[in-house]
């Protein structure tokens, strides 16, 4: 291929789904699940370094893919109904579900639908990002504006309601996804880019191992303002800008090494929301059984591998059939027939 030849995306398979995106989503959810499982083991250096490395890009990766797959979102009746049934209703359900472990384990019953708990923040933020999609598609420099909003959000102690810090802080990754086109992903599949991606991930992991004791965890969680983390706004803005750049670079590197062919886990990648919403219940229980055995390098590796298996299990057909009522509830009964505006004159 010459330098002037336009890149073309690989044709989608006969099923209508490109396995590349499902592969990326499944590999990403394994990082999410394993990352949550090793969170309580960060006294082990390798676990702390892995946690820093993974959290720098695993949710940005999901957000970029969510933005890319939301490019056709409009305010049409069908899209609005899917937004309600796929995000709003599951959010309410899992806010209630995750209140139960808090009650059993800590004796607290706290329910606040506007203040997302644990991993439900992603549903809240994705709901708001998708609502904003038509706005970003009308702007001349959407990514610049999104980055500006992200930096400004770090200068104020925003309320926890609507997960405002994360919603605005991570917004550039969603807007980046909206701006991507199939030819950008085709470029990532070039052999030289794939090699560069693998080297970038290896370098990122090595760097995380070298500096993990010097980086505050809150930078990779996007939950607090600069002053709450202990820096002034100039320093905080530069760090945030660096985190955005590093996150985008690692997302690109990860996508570059993601297989584009159909794999054994491609089908599971179509159901990653199940693993995302359900794995937290297992994590909360598993953490109660960590002992000295887990606070070793072999223990951390074993827990991380358990996370990979757990992610795969939660995406399987039997789990999906049992929990579909919560993750993908059938809501047609709640909607009226689609009303079309009457023609004037």
């Amino acid at each position: 291929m010459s330098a002037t030849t336009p890149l073309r995306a690989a044709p989608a398979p006969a099923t209508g789904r490109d396995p590349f995106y499902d592969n990326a989503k499944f590999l990403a959810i394994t990082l999410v699940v394993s990352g949550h499982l090793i969170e309580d083991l960060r006294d082990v250096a390798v676990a702390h370094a892995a946690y820093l490395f993974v959290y720098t890009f695993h949710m940005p990766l999901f957000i970029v893919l969510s933005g890319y797959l939301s490019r056709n979102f409009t305010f049409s009746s069908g899209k609005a109904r899917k937004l309600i049934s796929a995000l709003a209703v599951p959010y309410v359900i899992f806010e209630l579900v995750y209140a139960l472990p808090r009650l059993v384990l800590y004796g607290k019953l706290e329910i606040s639908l506007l203040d997302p708990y644990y991993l439900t923040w992603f549903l809240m933020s994705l709901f708001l990002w998708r609502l904003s999609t038509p706005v970003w598609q009308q702007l001349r420099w959407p990514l610049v504006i999104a980055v500006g909003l992200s930096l400004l959000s770090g200068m104020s102690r925003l309320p926890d309601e609507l997960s405002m810090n994360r919603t605005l802080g991570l917004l550039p990754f969603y807007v980046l996804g909206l701006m991507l086109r199939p030819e950008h992903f085709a470029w990532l599949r070039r052999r030289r880019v794939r090699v560069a991606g693998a080297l970038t991930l290896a370098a990122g992991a090595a760097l995380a191992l070298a500096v993990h004791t010097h980086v505050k965890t809150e930078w990779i969680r996007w939950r607090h303002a600069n002053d709450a983390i202990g820096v002034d706004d100039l320093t905080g803005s530069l760090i945030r800008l660096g985190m955005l750049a590093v996150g985008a670079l690692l997302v690109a590197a990860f996508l570059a090494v993601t297989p584009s062919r159909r794999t054994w886990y491609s089908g599971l990648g179509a159901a990653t929301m199940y693993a995302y919403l359900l794995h937290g219940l297992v994590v909360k229980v598993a953490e109660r059984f960590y002992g000295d055995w887990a606070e070793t390098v072999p223990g951390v590796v074993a827990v991380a591998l358990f996370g990979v298996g757990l992610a795969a299990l939660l995406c399987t057909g039997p789990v999906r059939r049992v929990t579909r009522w919560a993750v993908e509830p059938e809501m047609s009964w709640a909607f009226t027939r689609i009303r079309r505006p009457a023609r004037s004159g």
Side-chain angles (χ1 to χ4, degrees), residues 21-196:
Y21 303 108
D22 286 334
N23 291 341
K25 289 194 295 181
F26 177 76
L27 293 175
I29 198 62
T30 62
L31 295 179
V32 172
V33 177
S34 294
H36 277 145
L37 281 167
I38 68 171
E39 185 171 2
D40 267 14
L41 302 176
R42 285 175 292 157
D43 287 340
V44 182
V46 68
H48 194 276
Y51 184 82
L52 172 65
F53 176 61
V54 167
Y55 268 66
T56 301
F57 72 93
H58 75 330
M59 288 311 297
L61 172 61
F62 261 119
I63 296 166
V64 167
L65 291 174
S66 296
Y68 178 75
L69 298 174
S70 299
R71 291 172 301 151
N72 296 323
F73 178 82
T74 65
F75 289 124
S76 64
S77 299
K79 298 288 186 180
R81 293 180 180 196
K82 188 172 183 180
L83 193 64
I84 293 170
S85 60
L87 293 176
V89 174
Y91 171 78
V92 173
I93 291 173
F94 279 92
E95 272 292 297
L96 297 174
V97 167
Y98 278 107
L100 297 179
R102 278 187 290 179
L103 177 62
V104 173
L105 298 176
Y106 310 114
K108 297 180 180 179
L109 181 60
E110 299 176 359
I111 300 175
S112 175
L113 294 183
L114 295 180
D115 183 6
Y117 172 69
Y118 196 28
L119 47 74
T120 58
W121 71 266
F122 180 63
L123 294 181
M124 172 69 77
S125 295
L126 184 56
F127 182 89
L128 296 173
W129 290 328
R130 281 211 175 129
L131 281 179
S132 71
T133 296
V135 175
W136 298 111
Q137 293 173 333
Q138 298 297 317
L139 296 175
R140 189 180 297 273
W141 303 289
L143 189 57
V144 173
I145 295 173
V147 170
L149 288 174
S150 177
L151 299 182
L152 287 173
S153 70
M155 299 179 187
S156 304
R157 294 202 177 198
L158 300 175
D160 292 333
E161 283 75 12
L162 303 182
S163 190
M164 291 305 298
N165 282 290
R166 280 170 166 159
T167 299
L168 291 176
L170 293 164
L171 175 63
F173 294 112
Y174 182 79
V175 175
L176 174 61
L178 289 176
M179 296 174 61
L180 295 177
R181 296 294 178 264
E183 54 266 29
H184 297 132
F185 291 97
W187 179 80
L188 288 174
R189 300 180 195 184
R190 286 181 166 185
R191 179 176 178 81
R192 284 182 295 181
V193 178
R194 292 170 66 85
V195 172

